[in-house]
Amino acid sequence: MTITQPDLSVFETVESEVRSYCRGWPTVFDRARGSRIHDEDGHAYLDFFAGAGSLNYGHNNPVLKRALIDYLERDGVTHGLDMSTVAKRAFLESFQNLVLRPRDLPYKVMFPGPTGTNAVEAALKLARKVKGRESIVSFTNAFHGMSLGSLAVTGNAFKRAGAGIPLVHGTPMPFDHYLDGRVPDFLWFERLLEDQGSGLNHPAAVIVETVQGEGGINVARPEWLRSLADLCARRDMLLIVDDIQMGCGRTGAFFSFEEAGIVPDVVTVSKSISGYGLPMSLCLFRPELDVWEPGEHNGTFRGNNPAFVTATAALETYWSDGPAMEKQTLARGRQVEDALGALTGEHRAEVKEYRGRGLVWGVEFHDKGRAARVARRAFDLGLLIETSGPEGEVVKLLPALTVTPEELDEGLRTLARAVRETA
């Protein structure tokens, strides 16, 4: 097979140096369906990246695509700010009936803007407004977005440095397992809260991911999350769960915090909520926290009506039949876990650990540069995977929830080959 070199000249000469994913996948992609994406020369790649978790239902899902095409062909409203539209009404009704009511969640729904960091900024702003305090507690290796408020509660030093100004009013605490069990959970946090000499201003809120995706697939135990929720309740702090990457069924249940049996005060949702990769985000919060004045937080693109259409179709297609989607995701997750267990057994001296939940998994290597080499070799073999962790030491698997067992097996075999061939 002859592989021609793609023409990347316009990207290299016109596009900013800030581009990143395209450097690891040096080809020009053209079309995609399900878990396959093709470049302009027709080479197919199995996608275990899924738009960084924005494509839980795969590329160009035919049911969602049909709903979108029908809406556009009848000249449905595309841009609506926060005006009331048929598309928004349909989404709110479906979200209430299929997601909130079955879980007995009381949340009000806010559309803060098109991206995850918009939702986080709204959550932080709301917490500060409700509590009248400015401090927010986050966790080591957290990632919450690239705008300034979100960066202030993000752990990664490289990303934080890009702000160019001091990132204030955020205090990090140890995430679950950060101290390897040598210190009781929240001992340090509790001590700082009760000590008037600690220098910690009483926080308005705590923001947490149940599974840290960008931080290295760090999985919080349900009991750790329950203890955190209890601490927040006792100490008059709002609990914000950032479910931007781990929500919409990624860990099994629709919300990743359901397994722990907690009800956060505020939840941020984005990425796969539109179902189709269209920009959309939500900030959910208890009704008593809805203290916004009209227009106090707004944005031109918070009313993405095509995204409402595909989001409604996704909910009605995948979340209207009870636990079926959750069971399928957990079954696929067990398939991944078994394969990674075998991989670790084969490379016991090289693999430090594998970990995950549902259909998000990570493989950490002792050699911190190994993950990047594995990802590059996987690309050469036709598999898209990325790395995560503070030093890129973790290979991250994020396939679509609609991936078939056969596709999953193919990708896992390709991953195993990439590991063997980068030894």
Side-chain angles (χ1 to χ4, degrees):
M1 179 177 63
T2 301
I3 298 178
T4 59
Q5 291 299 312
D7 182 4
L8 302 174
S9 58
V10 71
F11 306 108
E12 295 169 349
T13 59
V14 178
E15 191 178 0
S16 166
E17 292 299 316
V18 79
R19 64 193 187 279
S20 59
Y21 290 116
C22 57
R23 297 179 188 273
W25 303 327
T27 191
V28 180
F29 294 107
D30 179 48
R31 58 187 179 87
R33 174 116 181 213
S35 290
R36 304 279 180 182
I37 184 168
H38 302 258
D39 67 20
E40 61 182 347
D41 293 322
H43 303 122
Y45 298 83
L46 187 57
D47 186 1
F48 275 23
F49 173 66
S54 296
L55 296 167
N56 280 5
Y57 312 107
H59 292 272
N60 285 304
N61 183 292
V63 176
L64 312 190
K65 180 168 66 175
R66 185 72 262 163
L68 177 59
I69 289 172
D70 289 347
Y71 183 77
L72 294 175
E73 285 186 337
R74 73 169 185 81
D75 292 331
V77 172
T78 295
H79 182 273
L81 294 163
D82 71 349
M83 295 185 292
S84 298
T85 64
V86 168
K88 185 199 282 189
R89 180 172 61 197
F91 169 74
L92 286 170
E93 289 174 348
S94 292
F95 192 71
Q96 182 179 50
N97 293 331
L98 299 177
V99 176
L100 298 181
R101 280 179 177 161
R103 294 161 179 79
D104 197 26
L105 295 173
Y107 297 135
K108 298 289 289 291
V109 179
M110 175 183 178
F111 301 104
T115 73
T117 198
N118 294 131
V120 170
E121 295 285 356
L124 300 180
K125 185 188 291 187
L126 180 62
R128 287 166 170 143
K129 180 178 174 66
V130 167
K131 293 300 183 182
R133 305 191 291 267
E134 78 285 350
S135 179
I136 305 288
V137 163
S138 58
F139 290 94
T140 51
N141 290 314
F143 178 78
H144 297 290
M146 298 297 285
S147 51
L148 292 179
S150 300
L151 278 177
V153 290
T154 287
N156 187 281
F158 174 73
K159 292 179 172 64
R160 289 175 61 88
I165 62 172
L167 296 171
V168 296
H169 309 307
T171 302
M173 292 290 165
F175 191 71
D176 195 14
H177 304 298
Y178 188 75
L179 298 173
D180 297 324
R182 291 171 294 178
V183 177
D185 294 338
F186 306 113
L187 175 67
W188 174 241
F189 195 178
E190 289 259 29
R191 181 72 179 120
L192 291 179
L193 287 170
E194 67 190 19
D195 184 359
Q196 295 300 304
S198 71
L200 176 66
N201 293 333
H202 190 177
V206 175
I207 185 168
V208 67
E209 304 154 274
T210 64
V211 180
Q212 295 181 326
E214 298 304 308
I217 318 301
N218 305 313
V219 182
R221 292 166 296 143
E223 56 268 33
W224 187 87
L225 292 169
R226 287 192 289 269
S227 295
L228 177 60
D230 175 69
L231 174 60
C232 288
R234 287 188 289 105
R235 296 291 186 171
D236 187 31
M237 303 178 294
L238 297 182
L239 176 60
I240 304 169
V241 167
D242 182 340
D243 231 10
I244 288 166
Q245 188 169 82
M246 298 303 155
C248 301
R250 175 54 59 182
T251 64
F254 188 87
F255 294 110
S256 70
F257 56 79
E258 292 182 52
E259 180 190 20
I262 62 174
V263 179
D265 300 295
V266 183
V267 183
T268 60
V269 181
S270 187
K271 288 193 183 286
S272 276
I273 188 60
S274 81
Y276 203 72
L278 298 174
M280 178 179 172
S281 72
L282 310 176
C283 186
L284 313 175
F285 39 81
R286 296 180 184 273
E288 62 269 24
L289 304 180
D290 194 6
V291 298
W292 294 113
E293 296 291 335
E296 188 175 7
H297 186 93
N298 59 28
T300 304
F301 295 101
R302 66 195 186 281
N304 187 347
N305 282 259
F308 295 152
V309 170
T310 54
T312 301
L315 293 177
E316 293 178 350
T317 302
Y318 294 101
W319 298 98
S320 62
D321 55 355
M325 190 68 185
E326 179 178 354
K327 289 181 178 178
Q328 176 179 297
T329 297
L330 294 176
R332 302 284 192 272
R334 288 189 291 271
Q335 185 179 348
V336 176
E337 186 174 13
D338 289 345
L340 296 185
L343 176 69
T344 300
E346 182 182 349
H347 301 274
R348 196 171 304 278
E350 303 147 64
V351 175
K352 181 178 180 181
E353 185 183 20
Y354 68 94
R355 50 188 181 261
R357 280 179 58 195
L359 275 175
V360 52
W361 289 85
V363 181
E364 182 176 356
F365 294 90
H366 290 290
D367 175 0
K368 295 184 185 300
R370 181 74 174 276
R373 298 196 299 274
V374 169
R376 181 54 192 262
R377 182 57 184 150
F379 171 77
D380 294 337
L381 297 172
L383 176 67
L384 300 187
I385 52 176
E386 68 167 332
T387 63
S388 68
E391 298 180 72
E393 69 275 21
V394 178
V395 166
K396 181 180 179 182
L397 306 181
L398 210 66
L401 307 186
T402 53
V403 66
T404 67
E406 295 75 20
E407 289 169 331
L408 206 49
D409 182 62
E410 177 189 342
L412 292 166
R413 283 188 282 107
T414 303
L415 171 65
R417 179 181 169 186
V419 172
R420 286 193 301 269
E421 293 182 0
T422 55

